[in-house]
Amino acid sequence: MAASGPWSQDNWHLRPNRNGTCFVHRGRPEPLDLHLGMFLPTLLTQATPEQQDRFFMPAWNLEIIGTYAQTEMGHGTHLRGLETTATYDPATQEFILNSPTVTSIKWWPGGLGKTSNHAIVLAQLYTQGQCKGLHAFIVPIRQLGTHEPLPGITVGDIGPKFGYDEMDNGYLKMDNFRIPRENMLMKYAQVEPDGTYVKPLSDKLTYGTMVFIRSLIVGDSARSLSRACTIAIRYSAVRHQSELKPGEPEPQILDYQTQQYKLFPLLATAYAFHFVGAYIKDTYRRISGDINEGDLSELPELHALTAGLKAFTSWTANAGIEECRMACGGHGYSRCSGIPDIYVTFTPSCTYEGENTVMMLQTARFLVKSYTQVSSGQRVTGMVSYLNDLSRQRIQPQHVAARTVTVRINDPVSLVEAYKARAARLVEAAAKNLQAELNHRKSKEDAWNRTSVDLVRASEAHCHYVIVKLFTAKLAEIGNAAVRAVLTELCLLYALYGISKSTGDFLQAGILTDAQITQVNQRVKELLAIIRPNAVALVDSFDFHDVHLGSVLGRYDGNVYENMFEWAKKSPLNKTEVHESFHKHLKPMQAKL
């Protein structure tokens, strides 16, 4: 039952959302999001067949409504710091769950406040007097039928937030709350009746749900940025403002180069992230299949890739959505534009399922480890295989990125090589700076902290390389010559714009010359003009229906101003011609003057 059917991992198509979950209603958060987006997938990937038989169908039929309780008031991304405990009692074959401190109270899980009656709780497992680290447990929190909190459970809503008013993010405190031994998710690690602990093949297997959600956030970054671009570019084609030439009609603001420079690189980014999102989803599924067959060889890179790309894409999309809002002028600030709602819905992704800076540092650990392997004569595979070029240093000592790179700025394949050289240089520089710090102090942790800015830059460069590489590779798969030509222009714009914003890296490494940087900046401006005639068609191809876009400014029919007026007339303040505040406050005040 667990491995097939509409609920199987291969058929899981729900959209990721707040706290790494899925929207019940397309585009809006709902209290059932974590049930669908994390509770059910965790059962599929971490429960034994027996546990799936017990829990999955009741959860599928909404008899059990679950959430995913990992984050605590005092700890989020640093999972090893979580304080909730699950102590095994062999006499009763039960786990005793406790929230021993105020900072250990589970905090933030969506649907926990008022909706869920179960939670998958991440807790430190204690058995036979030893802590075995973080494990997942299925914990009933409310009585079926009455929905009252169970004895030993304190649960509620955490209160208003920056957005997500529809979502009952909650808190959970447990006091000596007992669950059967069989409620520990035991697909990988087990606790036997006598308390004997059976280790998993890898500790990272416990975090499979997070890796799954991080892979989905990459695709959600593409969708959210695509929605904002659609609104801003359509509106820029409708809006006429100022003069390009005296006496002539006001032009569309999309004809201004400065407006194109704001929006077209974001449009190219949205396409790039779309292709990367599809790649990372397929990669996750492929490697998950390998893991089920006992092959864990690609698990470290999967963790590193999903962590880094989650951070890179969500940071970029978050800033891009705000740029789209500002590109719409004053009307962009109105909720009728739709962009404020996109922003408040998307922006938490920079911190949930792993705070982005910490995610970049996790990717950096993998990059430094790969660099160390190459330096010791081993070869690495996958997206870090470019580090194998370091072996040439034995013959010709020099920075890996200092070797000659002939860059043709109109060739995406050549630009991939430039980004590869930049990533290699920054990974190498960060690794060497880390080693220099280690040579000066005993503490590895202190050395890591003192190098962390360099390490984050290296991870960003690695992720940027991966995205340019995947975008370029996608071009070869497009059979339609006209479509391929347009997407090649977008790919060039994405790559060249990225270079123009990081010129120091490419100059310092000797990858590009001053003259080439000048050519890059000029070519970016030329591409803006080339893309302009297709800009509206390119956002139309995202195929967002008006009801999903939720924007007066981004309407498909372009009928903006009439609908903006109609939208404004529906404001609650317009229900009466004279508001009660006039009689209550203004009129008495005027009478005293």
Side-chain angles (χ1 to χ4, degrees), residues 254-255 260 264 489 527-538:
L254 198 56
D255 288 336
Q260 296 169 6
F264 292 175
E489 292 159 1
L527 285 166
L528 299 178
I530 292 170
I531 291 168
R532 167 63 182 95
N534 292 313
V536 174
L538 283 165

Side-chain angles (χ1 to χ4, degrees), residues 484-505:
R484 185 170 61 251
V486 173
L487 288 181
T488 298
E489 292 159 1
L490 282 179
C491 183
L492 282 171
L493 180 60
Y494 179 76
L496 294 174
Y497 181 82
I499 291 173
S500 73
K501 291 299 182 181
S502 303
T503 53
D505 292 344

Side-chain angles (χ1 to χ4, degrees), residues 85-198:
T85 60
T87 305
Y88 184 65
D89 180 359
T92 61
Q93 294 190 27
E94 293 174 314
F95 288 102
I96 307 169
L97 282 94
N98 273 293
S99 307
T101 64
V102 66
T103 52
S104 71
I105 297 171
K106 295 297 183 183
W107 202 268
W108 277 112
L112 176 61
K114 294 296 177 183
T115 306
S116 300
N117 54 34
H118 281 68
I120 289 176
V121 173
L122 275 289
Q124 303 289 353
L125 166 62
Y126 285 85
T127 183
Q128 296 180 339
Q130 293 182 321
C131 179
K132 299 298 183 179
L134 210 59
H135 291 72
F137 302 84
I138 302 173
V139 180
I141 57 175
R142 288 183 168 97
Q143 184 69 46
L144 297 182
T146 68
H147 212 59
E148 291 287 336
L150 293 168
I153 296 291
T154 304
V155 62
D157 184 85
I158 65 170
K161 308 167 290 286
F162 185 60
Y164 272 77
D165 295 335
E166 307 92 336
M167 179 70 75
D168 56 329
N169 298 85
Y171 60 78
L172 173 65
K173 184 176 185 293
M174 295 169 289
D175 295 297
N176 293 319
F177 187 77
R178 289 176 174 262
I179 60 172
R181 180 183 68 90
E182 294 80 10
N183 279 33
M184 172 183 162
L185 291 176
M186 295 197 195
K187 181 176 182 179
Y188 298 115
Q190 292 93 38
V191 171
E192 295 179 346
D194 65 355
T196 301
Y197 179 72
V198 181

